[in-house]
Amino acid sequence: MTVLTKGNKVSRQSIEKLDLLLLILETIDLNGIQSLYAISNRLNLNDVFPNKVTIWKLRNNNPLRKSYVNNNIKLDEFDALIKITVELSRYLYPYIREILQSKENFEKNSVIWNDFNKRFIELIKERFNLDSMRVKKLLNQTENNEIVITLLLTLSLCISNQGYEKLKNLLFDF
């Protein structure tokens, strides 16, 4: 088991993965950043996230983003983002399940999957560096489906009582 932190720094891979999970949640929840901020308030994370801009700045630590800034996200900030991800996953689980079922039963429910995937691609194009090979992989329809399904399944596993620990272990053992 390899923990991907050096001292008090979070690894690039862990940041990328968490930001992609949050992007999936934003794809489902059209209120996006507002929902993330509302959950941070509900979880009493105001000291870490005093406003929506703080969340946005932390997410810009993802090297795949157009607005990438290497501010060396702190462990407590990363931990707070994990808590928000888990809580929003619980709230959006019925939609996550419906999207996964639509992909599984594509002939009957292709509209749900196609709408979700179209919005996800739009968000990637809007926010990520399109010159990056990793981003191009996300935009490639064949590879995209596998990545998106994995991310959705990951979010599905976060809804249990141990969801926070599961996601934290997954991100640090990436």
Side-chain angles (χ1 to χ4, degrees), residues 12-142:
R12 169 189 169 141
Q13 294 90 349
S14 296
I15 292 168
E16 284 179 20
K17 179 91 172 194
L18 182 59
D19 192 40
L20 281 172
L21 291 168
L22 287 165
L23 192 69
I24 289 283
L25 293 171
E26 282 185 283
T27 302
I28 297 167
D29 184 341
L30 300 180
N31 291 321
I33 192 71
Q34 183 62 39
S35 295
L36 295 174
Y37 184 63
I39 287 177
S40 75
N41 286 333
R42 193 174 327 132
L43 296 173
N44 296 317
L45 297 171
N46 304 40
D47 54 326
V48 181
F49 305 123
N51 54 51
K52 292 179 233 176
V53 175
T54 309
I55 296 171
W56 175 78
K57 283 182 177 179
L58 287 176
R59 292 185 63 198
N60 282 326
N61 280 283
N62 178 356
L64 299 179
R65 286 193 170 255
K66 286 180 183 176
S67 52
Y68 169 64
V69 179
N70 188 6
N71 285 332
N72 293 328
I73 189 169
K74 296 177 192 136
L75 286 175
D76 64 325
E77 295 167 332
F78 191 74
D79 193 59
L81 285 173
I82 293 171
K83 289 175 182 173
I84 290 172
T85 303
V86 168
E87 195 61 31
L88 193 53
S89 296
R90 288 180 180 141
Y91 178 73
L92 296 175
Y93 179 69
Y95 304 103
I96 294 168
R97 188 180 68 231
E98 185 177 5
I99 293 164
L100 284 168
Q101 286 174 338
S102 74
K103 179 59 178 159
E104 195 173 293
N105 197 356
F106 190 72
E107 287 152 16
K108 287 185 181 177
N109 297 316
S110 63
V111 172
I112 295 169
W113 176 262
N114 288 336
D115 286 349
F116 168 80
N117 205 32
K118 181 181 175 194
R119 176 155 161 71
F120 182 69
I121 296 293
E122 287 171 2
L123 288 175
I124 288 173
K125 287 180 178 178
E126 176 184 308
R127 299 177 185 181
F128 285 20
N129 176 3
L130 301 179
D131 294 328
S132 164
M133 290 307 291
R134 294 176 69 119
V135 174
K136 287 179 182 179
K137 186 176 178 179
L138 287 170
L139 295 173
N140 176 318
Q141 199 62 40
T142 307

